[in-house]
Amino acid sequence: MGQTPHADPGTAPRWGSHELSGPRADDLPGIGPGSETVYLSQACASLSFALDYARTWLRSGRGTTALVVGTSVLNAYEYAGMAITGALSPTGARPFDTARDGTSLGEGAGALVLETADAARGRGARPLAVLAGAAARVNGRSPAASDEEAIADCIRTALDDAGLDSVGYIHAHATGTVQGDTVELAALDAVGAERGWDAVPVSGHKGGIGHLMHASSAPGIAAALGCLRTGSAPGTPGLGTAETTGRSVRLLTAAEQLNGAPRSVLVNSFGFAGNNSSLVLTAPDGSTS
C-alpha cells in the first residue's frame, strides 16, 4: 500500500487503485496494450476464485488468454490475525491427524495461463489440463469456522459443472485445524455417499510448506497437475495417525502410484467468511475415463 495521499484539511483522503495494487498490466514484460487487470481477494480461496473468474471472462469472448497470479508473503498483520482466531499450531501443521492443533503459515506464489483451446493450438501449446468444472461461492454462516453443507454444495457444483460424479484424486484444503479438517472430510464423505465413491484418495500439502493464504490454491493445483501427468498422488506431510473417514475417501500419508493415471482431480480451497471454491481439472485431451 502506498503512502497516504495529500488531502485538504477536514477532508478524507481518496485512494486510487494504484495505492492498493501492483503495476499496470501494460507495464509488465510480454503483456501487450489493451490488457485488462482485475484484483480479487477472497481469503484463502482467492486464486481459485480468480481462475473461475478468468474462465467466465474467456467464455464471454472478451479475450483468449488470461494470466492468473497469486502470491502470499509472510507479514505481521496476517500472522497476528491468524493467531487471534486460534488457527495457528505451536508445533506445526498436521492435516487430518488426530492430534492436529492448527495450521502453519508459509509464503510463495503461483502463476497459471488459462486460455481457449483455439489460442493454445494457435501457439502450438499442449495444455497441462482442462479446467472442466469450477464453483466459487460466498455462503458461510461464520466469519472463521467452516460450514459443512456450504462446502459439500461447492464440491457438488464443481462436479456437476464438469459433468462428473467422481474424480480419481482429491487435493484437500486441509489446513490442520481441528474444526476445518473435520468439516471438509464430512463434506467429502457426504458427497461421496450420494455419488457412490469408493475410497477416493485424498491428501494435502500444508504440513510440508505451510498455508499460503491467498495463494494456497497454487500448490494444490500443482499437485493435481502432477497426479494427472504421472498417476502418482502425493502424500500428506505431517499426517501420522489419520482421522477416521467413511468409505467414500481414504487419506494418504505417503505418495502412492494409483492404478491407472487418473483422468480427473478435485482441488478444494476454503477460506474465512465462507469464501469456498472447488475446481475440477481433467486430462489435457478432455477425457475423463
Side-chain angles (χ1 to χ4, degrees):
M1 182 179 293
Q3 296 179 342
T4 303
H6 296 295
D8 295 332
T11 64
R14 294 185 179 181
W15 297 100
S17 61
H18 63 284
E19 305 289 349
L20 304 172
S21 57
R24 297 178 304 171
D26 53 8
D27 288 335
L28 299 174
I31 305 297
S35 300
E36 297 184 39
T37 305
V38 177
Y39 294 89
L40 295 180
S41 181
Q42 305 291 156
C44 302
S46 293
L47 187 61
S48 289
F49 267 73
L51 282 166
D52 180 54
Y53 180 94
R55 187 179 69 147
T56 301
W57 181 78
L58 293 175
R59 286 178 166 180
S60 74
R62 292 182 61 96
T64 63
T65 306
L67 175 63
V68 181
V69 180
T71 183
S72 179
V73 178
L74 284 174
N75 61 82
Y77 175 80
E78 287 190 338
Y79 190 91
M82 293 291 284
I84 288 172
T85 65
L88 294 180
S89 167
T91 58
R94 289 169 285 173
F96 297 134
D97 194 277
T98 54
R100 65 187 182 276
D101 57 3
T103 197
S104 304
L105 296 186
E107 61 181 355
L112 302 101
V113 173
L114 190 66
E115 59 188 336
T116 64
D118 287 343
R121 281 192 293 267
R123 66 186 186 92
R126 184 176 186 271
L128 299 177
V130 174
L131 180 55
R137 302 286 184 82
V138 182
N139 54 359
R141 298 184 179 92
S142 165
S146 298
D147 184 311
E148 179 182 336
E149 183 51 40
I151 288 175
D153 179 63
C154 198
I155 295 168
R156 292 187 195 101
T157 300
L159 289 170
D160 289 345
D161 188 30
L164 297 174
D165 281 327
S166 185
V167 292
Y169 165 68
I170 297 169
H171 194 87
H173 186 59
T175 60
T177 63
V178 175
Q179 193 266 351
D181 286 11
T182 295
V183 167
E184 184 172 9
L185 282 179
L188 288 169
D189 272 328
V191 175
E194 298 166 3
R195 303 193 177 210
W197 296 1
D198 184 17
V200 176
V202 177
S203 64
H205 66 270
K206 293 181 177 66
I209 65 173
H211 191 348
L212 268 59
M213 304 294 278
H214 290 77
S216 66
S217 305
I221 292 169
L225 292 174
C227 188
L228 285 174
R229 181 173 59 86
T230 67
S232 178
T236 306
L239 175 56
T241 303
E243 182 170 332
T244 301
T245 66
R247 63 175 295 175
S248 299
V249 299
R250 61 188 179 92
L251 299 174
L252 301 182
T253 56
E256 180 179 311
Q257 188 70 34
L258 304 180
N259 293 326
R263 310 299 289 173
S264 57
V265 295
L266 175 74
V267 180
N268 285 334
S269 300
F270 307 127
F272 281 174
N275 287 281
N276 300 318
S277 182
S278 294
L279 305 175
V280 175
L281 305 178
T282 59
D285 60 4
S287 66
T288 57
S289 61

